[in-house]
Amino acid sequence: MSNGSLVTTFFLTGLPHAPALDTMLFGIFLAIYILTVLGNLLILLVIRVDSHLHTPMYYFLTNLSFIDMWFSTVTVPKMLMTLATPGGGAISFHSCVAQLYSFHFLGSTECFLYTVMSYDRYLAISYPLRYSSMMSGRVCALLAAGTWLSGSLHSAVQTTLTFRLPYCGPNQVQHYFCDAPPILKLACADTSANEMVIFVNIGVVASGCFLLIVLSYVSIVCSILRIRTSEGRHRAFQTCASHCIVVLCFFGPGLFIYLRPGSKDALDGIVAVFYTVLTPLLNPVVYTLRNKEVKKALSKLKNGSVFIQNQ
C-alpha cells in the first residue's frame, strides 16, 4: 500500500435515491438482512443435525450458506448506516481496505464454489453409480479448500492493485461499500493500468467460472434427456433448477459491473444490490422452498425427531 495516501477517511454516498425514501429503504434492507442471516443459519443448522443431509451436495451448500451470511454482513450494515444517519457513510481508510478485501474474498470464493457445485451435480447425474467414490469426503474437502484459497489469493491481488496507489484528494465514494471501480476514481495517479488488470483479472475468473458452469449444465441436460422415465427426468431437472436460478442472479449483475472498466454509472450501485443483498437471501429461499429433502429435514427439526435420531 502506498505511503503517499493522505486520505484517512472515505465517505460512502450510498445508493442513489430521494432522501424521503431513507426510512422505507432502511426498513426493507434491514428486513432482507435479518432474513438472510436467519435463513442461512437455519440451513447450516438443518444440515448439521440431519445425518441424511451429510452428502457432497449439502456439504457445498453449507459452505455457500456460510459465505452468503458473511457476504451480506460485509456490505449491508454499512449501507444501513448511510441510510440511518447523516454521517453514517464515513469509513476509515483501513476499514475500507478490509471491506474491499473481504468483499472480493467472499465474492470470488462463491464464484469458484458455484463452479464446484455444478461439477458435483454433473457427476451425480452423469455417473450415479460411481458418484460416491468420485466425490469422496476427501475430494469434497480438497475442492472446498481450493475455492477458499483461490478466493483469498484473487482478493489479495484486487486489494493490492487498488490501494497501492496514492489517495490524496476527494474522498467521496460513489457507492454504498468500498469496491475497486469507485475507489480507483479517487486515486491521485493514472489508474488505466490498474483498471485493465482488474478488468482482465475479474473477467477471466468470472467468465471462466461461468463458462465451466454452462458446460457442466449442457452435459447435465444431455444426461437427463437419456433418462428413460419422465419422473426421473423431472427429479433431475428439479435438482439443478435451484442452482441455475442463484447462479444467474449472482453472475449476471457481477459481469455487468466489472466487465465495463471505467464505468461511472450510478446504475452500478443499484445493480450491485442484486448480488450483495438479494442473492444471499435467494440461497435459503430457493434451497428450502424448492427442495423436498430440506423441507423434510425442517419438519423433523420442528418436531424434534432429528435430535432423537442422532442420539
Side-chain angles (χ1 to χ4, degrees), residues 24-311:
M24 184 184 75
L25 289 175
F26 180 86
I28 291 171
F29 287 122
L30 177 61
I32 290 175
Y33 176 65
I34 292 172
L35 289 173
T36 298
V37 173
L38 292 178
N40 283 293
L41 278 174
L42 184 60
I43 286 183
L44 291 172
L45 175 63
V46 168
I47 295 174
R48 175 71 181 86
V49 301
D50 194 326
S51 58
H52 295 99
L53 300 181
H54 293 176
T55 63
M57 173 181 168
Y58 293 105
Y59 174 76
F60 294 127
L61 180 56
T62 298
N63 280 266
L64 184 61
S65 291
F66 183 80
I67 290 172
D68 275 337
M69 190 169 60
W70 288 106
F71 192 51
S72 183
T73 299
V74 164
T75 56
V76 178
K78 193 60 187 174
M79 182 212 289
L80 293 174
M81 290 179 68
T82 66
L83 293 169
T85 56
I91 182 170
S92 71
F93 184 88
H94 292 98
S95 295
C96 190
V97 174
Q99 187 182 49
L100 189 144
Y101 176 82
S102 300
F103 173 76
H104 281 279
F105 170 43
L106 294 167
S108 53
T109 301
E110 184 160 343
C111 178
F112 294 125
L113 186 61
Y114 281 134
T115 310
V116 169
M117 290 175 72
S118 68
Y119 176 66
D120 171 64
R121 290 300 85 208
Y122 162 69
L123 292 181
I125 291 172
S126 300
Y127 303 97
L129 300 179
R130 297 165 54 196
Y131 173 66
S132 57
S133 61
M134 296 173 76
M135 193 60 75
S136 63
R138 183 171 178 274
V139 171
C140 289
L142 286 173
L143 287 171
T147 64
W148 287 94
L149 179 60
S150 300
S152 65
L153 293 174
H154 179 261
S155 182
V157 171
Q158 296 293 102
T159 308
T160 303
L161 283 173
T162 302
F163 289 103
R164 72 181 180 86
L165 298 172
Y167 291 89
C168 52
N171 66 346
Q172 297 276 328
V173 181
Q174 300 296 318
H175 213 320
Y176 59 89
F177 66 93
C178 289
D179 196 8
I183 291 291
L184 284 175
K185 295 187 183 78
L186 306 179
C188 303
D190 180 27
T191 63
S192 56
N194 292 68
E195 290 177 358
M196 186 52 62
V197 172
I198 289 175
F199 170 76
V200 172
N201 190 11
I202 291 182
V204 168
V205 170
S207 301
C209 288
F210 189 70
L211 179 61
L212 289 173
I213 291 170
V214 170
L215 289 174
S216 293
Y217 277 97
V218 169
S219 301
I220 287 170
V221 170
C222 292
S223 297
I224 289 174
L225 293 176
R226 288 197 294 267
I227 298 175
R228 294 183 178 181
T229 64
S230 58
E231 183 182 353
R233 287 196 297 270
H234 177 71
R235 286 184 62 187
F237 272 121
Q238 194 173 40
T239 302
C240 300
S242 302
H243 189 193
C244 289
I245 291 170
V246 181
V247 163
L248 288 173
C249 290
F250 180 81
F251 278 92
L255 291 172
F256 173 81
I257 290 173
Y258 293 107
L259 296 191
R260 296 185 304 134
S263 171
K264 297 182 179 180
D265 294 342
L267 181 63
D268 284 3
I270 298 172
V271 173
V273 170
F274 282 91
Y275 66 91
T276 60
V277 180
L278 298 181
T279 300
L281 175 65
L282 275 178
N283 180 18
V285 171
V286 169
Y287 279 99
T288 54
L289 296 183
R290 293 179 57 87
N291 193 302
K292 291 181 180 179
E293 290 176 315
V294 174
K295 285 193 285 187
K296 186 177 179 180
L298 282 170
S299 178
K300 288 195 291 184
L301 181 66
K302 182 181 177 181
N303 298 329
S305 58
V306 168
F307 298 104
I308 295 174
Q309 289 176 5
N310 290 334
Q311 287 178 350

